[in-house]
Amino acid sequence: MKCISVYTNNFELFSDIYEQVLESPPQEHEDIVVEGITVSGSGEVPDQYIERMRSKPEVVVMREKERNIMILQHGNVFEICLPSEEEEAV
């Protein structure tokens, strides 16, 4: 899965920029600033990473079923995990 990191712990700010980030995501290893929030293209993450993070009590897991997007929130970061192009083709 492709991962985008959004560096904020404020859910309201994250919600405000979420769609904008999905419309114009940063490239891998690229940092952009959206409404004062740093957003980073973190590259590909294995499914095992998501499963490990889901099992931690300090991690909040949200899922957008329609687009198969997983959002992990922990500490001062939200991680948006999107299906990679190969996964979308399946």
Side-chain angles (χ1 to χ4, degrees), residues 3-11 14 37-40 42 49 53 58-60 62 71-80:
C3 185
I4 301 168
S5 298
V6 180
Y7 294 95
T8 182
N9 62 354
N10 185 318
F11 184 76
F14 173 76
I37 305 296
T38 301
V39 179
S40 179
S42 301
Y49 171 77
M53 293 301 286
E58 68 273 13
V59 177
V60 177
M62 296 163 269
I71 301 165
L72 307 172
Q73 193 268 323
H74 52 97
N76 293 328
V77 66
F78 286 86
E79 293 179 311
I80 304 169

Side-chain angles (χ1 to χ4, degrees), residues 18-65:
Y18 177 71
E19 288 299 330
Q20 190 175 348
V21 169
L22 292 181
E23 288 173 15
S24 300
Q27 297 298 312
E28 188 170 340
H29 305 298
E30 175 188 26
D31 290 346
I32 61 173
V33 177
V34 180
E35 295 187 26
I37 305 296
T38 301
V39 179
S40 179
S42 301
E44 294 285 323
V45 295
D47 290 339
Q48 297 90 334
Y49 171 77
I50 294 169
E51 291 307 314
R52 264 195 328 268
M53 293 301 286
R54 289 176 79 159
S55 68
K56 295 183 178 188
E58 68 273 13
V59 177
V60 177
V61 179
M62 296 163 269
R63 184 163 183 225
E64 187 182 335
K65 283 186 176 182

Side-chain angles (χ1 to χ4, degrees), residues 75-89:
N76 293 328
V77 66
F78 286 86
E79 293 179 311
I80 304 169
C81 300
L82 307 159
S84 60
E85 291 175 14
E86 303 86 52
E87 291 168 323
E88 288 177 351

